[in-house]
Amino acid sequence: MSTDRLIYLPLGGAGEIGMNAYVYGYGTPGKERLIVVDLGVAFPDMDTTPGVDLIFADIAWLNERRNDIEGIFITHAHEDHIGAVAHLWDELGAPIYARAFTAHHARRKMEERGHPERAVNTVSKWPETVKLGPFTVGFVPISHSIPESSGLVIDTPDGRIVHTGDFKIDKTPVVGEPFDEELWKEIAASGVKALVCDSTNVFSEHAGRSEASIGKDIQELIASAPHMVVATTFASNVARLKTIATAADRAGRSICLMGRAMRRMVEASITTGVLDGFPTVVSPEDAANIPRENLLILATGSQGERRAASAQLSNGKFQGMKLKEGDMFLFSSKTIPGNEKGVIRIMNNFSEMGVDVVDDNAGKYHVSGHANRPDIEFMHKLINPQMIIPMHGEHRHLREHAKLANSNGFAAHVCVNGMMLNLSGNQPKVAEYVDTGRRYLDGSTQYGALDGIVRDRLRMALNGHIIVTVILDEEDEPLGDPWCEVMGLAEQGRSHAPLVDILEHDLSQYMGRAGTKTMMDDDALEQGLKKVARQSALSEIGKKPEVTVVISRLS
Amino acid sequence: MSTDRLIYLPLGGAGEIGMNAYVYGYGTPGKERLIVVDLGVAFPDMDTTPGVDLIFADIAWLNERRNDIEGIFITHAHEDHIGAVAHLWDELGAPIYARAFTAHHARRKMEERGHPERAVNTVSKWPETVKLGPFTVGFVPISHSIPESSGLVIDTPDGRIVHTGDFKIDKTPVVGEPFDEELWKEIAASGVKALVCDSTNVFSEHAGRSEASIGKDIQELIASAPHMVVATTFASNVARLKTIATAADRAGRSICLMGRAMRRMVEASITTGVLDGFPTVVSPEDAANIPRENLLILATGSQGERRAASAQLSNGKFQGMKLKEGDMFLFSSKTIPGNEKGVIRIMNNFSEMGVDVVDDNAGKYHVSGHANRPDIEFMHKLINPQMIIPMHGEHRHLREHAKLANSNGFAAHVCVNGMMLNLSGNQPKVAEYVDTGRRYLDGSTQYGALDGIVRDRLRMALNGHIIVTVILDEEDEPLGDPWCEVMGLAEQGRSHAPLVDILEHDLSQYMGRAGTKTMMDDDALEQGLKKVARQSALSEIGKKPEVTVVISRLS
């Protein structure tokens, strides 16, 4: 009997929505040959990650096993699936595989980081496959909200795995390949060991709707608008861009793209052949000469991002364009939890200008790119696997998805980041737990989420910062009084005297009281000064700030 | 002809949801006698106000006019209407008027801040009125989501104003007075000059539902739960507490209140006579001895607040109680925009424990306390005023509300914080603009939003903080090298050497190059050192941190 095993290990994306990074392995325990599926990012926020640029899965485990990695497969070009690949590539060094549109984006990212573009291999869709070690991997077109999204069919000595990637069941997706039920049935016919399946919309009870279903409403909305129309959606939702642009074209409007991502995405789609029939676009300069009622702008920033075109337009003039009373602004998008305030800020800015804001209107002008509960169930039955592993979800989504699978008689396992499952038997079994976590990109450096750097930032933001400086001479006697600088603290409090004066007075008194032993001991003196500064601030302004003590000894 | 005028001036609440503070005045321009309606708070967030405890309207204008203030009227006891009254009272000094339940809360707040409780006057409901200067003010019961909410009827020499406060049209509110259509009709019969009206739910198209309408669903849910049930809602929603507690009682469950606000609110409601028939409650200690399936916990923290009972329970044991697999947690509440992440965190924590989380389920287990669009329209027609002034809303709500009023033939005016309207004529007219803004409570101090304190905190959080210390002797020569402390920055970057070493090296080189003129000039030296530190950090870690320079001169 073989001791080889088939393993599944999520390093990101299982217990959160974002930062996808999944590992499959086959071979002798501890020496499996590995493939990585997706290397995406999560986005920072002020609550937990101020000043951070991007968040990656901690790939320390993969790094240790880098010689075992056969390849990195990218299912589609959304940032939460592709965004980390160029940032982490030098640690892994393995070849990257993706379909043409996704590979185009991967190459650009590799180039930007100075990595070889040739590391990115373009793979045609199923039935073409890539054979690497014990794995044979094929990209099967699956409908989602970006061109050329693919589910992976991963054949191993222990059987076939279907890794859905992000998907919905859309037979009229406007751009790209429709969901091909017959093809998936064929793929499943020989038996599937495990379905590793998108969980995002498991709480959405109704059947999902097709991208094509919103075309008519969008067209009517745009046709009936009396003045200029600006619409925003994810730039990567090329089908939506086409739906909106086509509606504008039919209404006799010229189309202008605003925001770098918007222009890039349309260019990439045309270059790689996934988009045709897109109306001619005009530049912002030319748009200025077109009557407003004959113009539609497609703008980036549907999630309220401060630097994107939508936010800029809501703040006033942007690239020579300014919205006016009676113009219309359409959010053809859903606000991702956490982004509400930024989106609402834009809505209110436009309201002040007299611009009429239209949101997704409970689904009239937007559909999701993920399979809803009935569609997930449909996929379960279509693939009819031996076991189901929910992925791409917070814990509550994974748990609900597993319950759904169980209710239809499928074996299922809630598997979170760092939990390695052995899939070789009839049931998924926990093989081991791997240390995982998050890594932050901050400026040009990367560091771990638990390194304390962001914790210190949060503390300074919540508590303010006092810097205490003292100078001691060769005999450990203070040279002058200690003094303070403060940042992020009220200038005065209870005593109606400057806070700095109160602090310096109290610190000076402490120095006068402190014995020779303390004065000779940097640590003791630092602790003493910190304590006094915090107590003094607490009594004066009711806060305990962060305190940095700088002790200088002349020698 | 009299030159007296009737003015309306929102200082908070018009252009945001929260921080309500409205002023009415009557008399000679610039010398009007004034009344204040509500003095509420807004809540801070990490994005804009880290470390801040509460946010108040800037009342500088009122403070200057303090001798003109006749009184402060509080419509109801929600924090965004009453929360600032005790914090700002020493600057205004005017008597406070409220109905019994609201006055009970106001007195507690005054007492906590060391102010005289006798400043708070309890007023009975309409037809009782308070006569102050040119104003006669009555509290008319109106349904909302807290007991004894009132609309104000404000009679002035220029006519009657109806200030709705927060309201919904609920004829079966479970606790407190039903919306009394006949009474409002009677009040409006003699003619109303201005309706100043809640705008919160103007974008909700369907008619609002009564508090009583969700009783049956909540009861069925609780009756069918196999194990322990924990439910959360705003503690001040006493009707909801009663609905849930009654459902639990009927299902043979004991009720336990968790969280200080929950216990306080139930006590205050019973004390002031607004709540009767509430089932007996058990303490958390006693609850531990009751079989889990016979227990229901009412917990604070429906908005995901970290220190409230719900969040604590989701983190593990709280007051001896711990949830288990198969227990149910009910959010009988809607998540306020901006609070999503905290609420989702709780959901996922419970998911990890195997607890089944039920949310408002598209309205099955929660109804709003504000009038929806058709109900706002109904109120317009019921009061049939000369003019309508939308309040209690972001700009988009106020604008939409004004459009709605216009569409039915009413004069209306979008009036935002700081815009003083003259209501004396047939149309509201802008009289002047008053400087307004926000004031922060932080520990025991208050300061202005634009004082730069919070800006500095945000900068430290986003950029990190470098502290540079140099010592110069009597001849302006450096005593030793400059040194650095860093907080919130990566320990090393491009050079793979400690960041602090790189900074100190670059700063030392700068000091060596700097001429005598710079060394003698604190400002020039500080600017020079800052620039070097920032450039050095930029090249090393790709960030430009905040820099504090401490120059010590021995003399």
Side-chain angles (χ1 to χ4, degrees), chain B residues 350-372:
Chain B
F350 282 135
S351 180
E352 289 180 24
M353 294 180 190
V355 171
D356 294 310
V357 174
V358 178
D359 63 16
D360 77 332
N361 214 322
K364 214 167 159 188
Y365 307 122
H366 176 69
V367 291
S368 170
H370 295 274
N372 287 359

Side-chain angles (χ1 to χ4, degrees), chain B residues 369-381:
Chain B
H370 295 274
N372 287 359
R373 187 184 188 91
D375 309 315
I376 292 172
E377 249 182 313
F378 174 85
M379 192 69 175
H380 291 177
K381 290 171 184 167

Side-chain angles (χ1 to χ4, degrees), chain A residues 33-56:
Chain A
R33 301 302 295 169
L34 308 173
I35 58 170
V36 179
V37 176
D38 292 339
L39 275 175
V41 301
F43 294 98
D45 59 37
M46 280 301 289
D47 284 283
T48 58
T49 46
V52 168
D53 295 310
L54 289 172
I55 302 170
F56 311 136

